[in-house]
Amino acid sequence: MNEKLIVSTSPHIQTSYGTSKLMGNVLIALIPAVAAATWIFGIRALILILVSACSAMLFEHLWCMLLKKPTTIFDLSAAITGVLLALTLPVGVPLYVPIVGTFFAIIVAKCLFGGLGNNFINPALAGRAFLLASYSLPMTTWVKPFYYKVDAVTTATPLKILKAGGALDVGYWDLFLGNIGGSMGEVCALALIIGFLYLWARKIIQPHITISYVATVALLGWFFGYNGIMTGDALTSILTGGVLLGGIFMLTDYTTSPTTRLGNVIAGILAGCLTIFIRVKGGYPEGVCYSILLVNILAPQIDKLVVPRKYGA
Amino acid sequence: MARTFRGGFHPEERKHLTEHKEIAVLPVPSVLTIPMAQHIGAPCTPLVKVGDEVKIGQKIGEPNGFMSVPVHSSVSGKVIAVEPRPHTGLGTVLSVVIENDFLDAVSDTVQPKNIDSLSQKELIDAVKEAGIVGMGGATFPTFIKLSPPEGKKADAVILNGAECEPFLTADHRVMLEHPDDVIDGLKIMMKILSVDRGYIAIEDNKKDAYALLKEKCKGEAQIQVVLVKTKYPQGSEKQLIDSVLRREVKSGQLPIDAGVVVQNVASAAEISTALRTGMPLVKRVVTVSGSGVENPGNFLVRIGTPLSFLAEHVGIKDGIRKVLAGGPMMGAAQYTMDAPVIKGTSGLLLFTEKEYKHYEPSDCLRCGRCVKHCPMRLMPFMIMQQAELNNLDGAVKYGLKDCMECGTCSYICPSRRRLVQTFKIAKASLPKK
């Protein structure tokens, strides 16, 4: 034995689950949603998602080059941001929209604050919020599902119809499977739930924040209906808009959510309250994006307030 | 259902390398190095000088102070040096180096005790004189646990057969091959402490040992064999007490404050041997494993056997990167193979690239995995943040003082951050009480 021995303090073994493996699992969990988006809105959806993912990784790589640091794109977090941002867009947006969006998400919301782990808001949602403010018309022009086979026909999202005081002409099954207008990734609840169960089963995420958020939206959605107290519908509340996409893939973002179980439950409830408040009283028909961004900002404060009881305390 | 505590994690065990290998008696080397410090507490004063003849079981180190126990010769032969030598955990330590005469002559002081006629005080003294310490690795003197301070009373004894460290199977084999000694040791401790509730806690990856001990304890109304969940750090005293008795040891206190004495199964077997035969603690079972070993196994090794002798016996492969005394989670990395096996050496692990991987740490993701898995329910990433800012008050607020350095956070961290390593440094810079 001639080699020098390595001496370090314990522990001497580490999990194989590094950052890139965790993020890779999130990408796997997004496959059903991407597939559903492609099926419902056509190949254009897939192109937008790929453009978004690639531009996100490119921007992060260029940033690392600019700072003369080793590239961080292989942790795959930029790819997730790209895919998630694309999933929040309508299928009809021009191709440059996701590119502008990922620039804001990656460079402004993430890299300028120090990169992965140091961003204070979810980059994908920050990008979406930026796009909504910058390109409000294409960002709110929705096409009917499956119309790519003929000609794109614009439609309204269920939330917009409800907010205007109208009645939905679709059933729960349509809402569940995604046969409605909306963002590419938000309409198919089934695909999102499959992704959620995968992440939960693989212990990539803890389910607390998602469950408390969705439950709060369901409860308050039923209680604060559009036509007065207790006129709402719990299932419609959670199956429309971005509740599941946001609750499963955005709120669970490691960096911008609290770290304790109780902290996550609290954050989920807060986000749920804000979502319904914006939906019912706000200017927009949907409040998922802004509610999550607001709760992101609170996450470090929640961690300071909710300290678990130590063993033996 | 196996009982358990909250937190912890299940590492890749890799116990299959040695768990079915019977304990083999290792040949005795021609020169043994017996350190005077094999327990936490002050080192012993050597009772022999160069040129002296010693026999097996002869006391060669006199304890100094309360936390100290004597050291005995594990071989017969001649003392050839009394000088500082490498130690698995303490750098270099004053050691007695003995040249083996291969006669295996036993000292006259090795005389069986009549347990039934001894008082509790005499039994405690006998345990102390036998040099018995916690053989799981902590090397806490056993007699201290058996003599609770004034006003404190134990109502339960838990034998720790969890052996939650990956790779290690020494305790497992002791339970399988010497179950009667283990049970006898438990009974002696229960007698010393006047306790009528004894537990033997075994992780559910050792169902064979569980079944065997349960069978052996059939007629014992006061002893319960308990299955605990396979999870690191199940073998940590505080966590095991939580799992078995649903009790918590208050912060800064000892298990005895919660009325519990926890003792390692191998130490229990050693208590039985020491009292029934008079032979003090001079050998122990060591698991030799890892991908750098040709023939992994469990060996009965004389205390003082150099690690290099042990390693040569099992055969070393090329490309050894790390040598560990103890388990991979809390064991100590060695810079030399000259250090000897001591009372707390539960394993010798030789790691190649297969187990040892170097990762660069990156920024904290705030993923909360360390919080979820911390068995003391602390917030390791917050302690780390505060420690890096040199804010020790903040680090203490999030649990620095309660950290038991089990390494769970560092193992689980996807950003490969050196959490527990940083805590050790921060703890060392805390003002002394």
Side-chain angles (χ1 to χ4, degrees), chain A residues 139-312:
Chain A
M139 285 294 287
T140 50
T141 305
W142 315 98
V143 291
K144 275 197 166 180
F146 302 109
Y147 265 68
Y148 57 90
K149 286 165 190 157
V150 266
D151 272 319
V153 177
T154 58
T155 182
T157 63
L159 280 173
K160 201 165 181 182
I161 296 167
L162 288 168
K163 181 129 190 166
L168 291 185
D169 57 353
V170 288
Y172 286 137
W173 271 115
D174 293 313
L175 293 173
F176 186 69
L177 294 175
N179 193 16
I180 47 172
S183 304
M184 290 186 279
E186 73 181 19
V187 291
C188 183
L190 174 65
L192 295 168
I193 290 168
I194 291 171
F196 175 63
L197 294 177
Y198 176 81
L199 289 175
W200 187 1
R202 296 293 307 266
K203 296 187 177 160
I204 305 298
I205 59 164
Q206 292 195 68
H208 306 76
I209 197 166
T210 306
I211 292 171
S212 75
Y213 175 64
V214 173
T216 306
V217 169
L219 184 71
L220 296 183
W222 160 76
F223 193 79
F224 295 108
Y226 292 98
N227 306 318
I229 298 298
M230 291 198 271
T231 60
D233 181 79
L235 260 183
T236 306
S237 297
I238 58 174
L239 291 176
T240 54
V243 172
L244 290 176
L245 179 62
I248 293 165
F249 289 102
M250 314 282 195
L251 269 177
T252 53
D253 171 37
Y254 293 145
T255 306
T256 53
S257 63
T259 55
T260 57
R261 290 185 182 89
L262 180 60
N264 274 320
V265 171
I266 292 170
I269 292 171
L270 277 175
C273 294
L274 284 167
T275 298
I276 294 298
F277 182 75
I278 296 171
R279 276 188 183 178
V280 177
K281 290 287 171 199
Y284 288 107
E286 174 58 311
V288 172
C289 175
Y290 290 113
S291 67
I292 294 177
L293 287 172
L294 286 167
V295 170
N296 284 170
I297 298 168
L298 291 176
Q301 319 310 322
I302 293 173
D303 269 343
K304 285 205 177 98
L305 291 172
V306 183
V307 176
R309 191 187 70 85
K310 299 179 185 104
Y311 175 105

Side-chain angles (χ1 to χ4, degrees), chain A residues 22-77:
Chain A
L22 294 179
M23 298 295 172
N25 270 290
V26 177
L27 282 177
I28 291 171
L30 281 165
I31 289 174
V34 171
T38 310
W39 179 55
I40 295 165
F41 294 111
I43 197 74
R44 184 181 168 77
L46 187 61
I47 293 169
L48 279 169
I49 292 166
L50 290 176
V51 164
S52 186
C54 292
S55 64
M57 289 168 84
L58 182 67
F59 285 130
E60 187 158 305
H61 185 66
L62 290 174
W63 177 264
C64 291
M65 280 173 68
L66 186 70
L67 264 58
K68 299 192 172 60
K69 282 185 169 176
T71 187
T72 52
I73 58 168
F74 299 110
D75 68 26
L76 300 179
S77 64

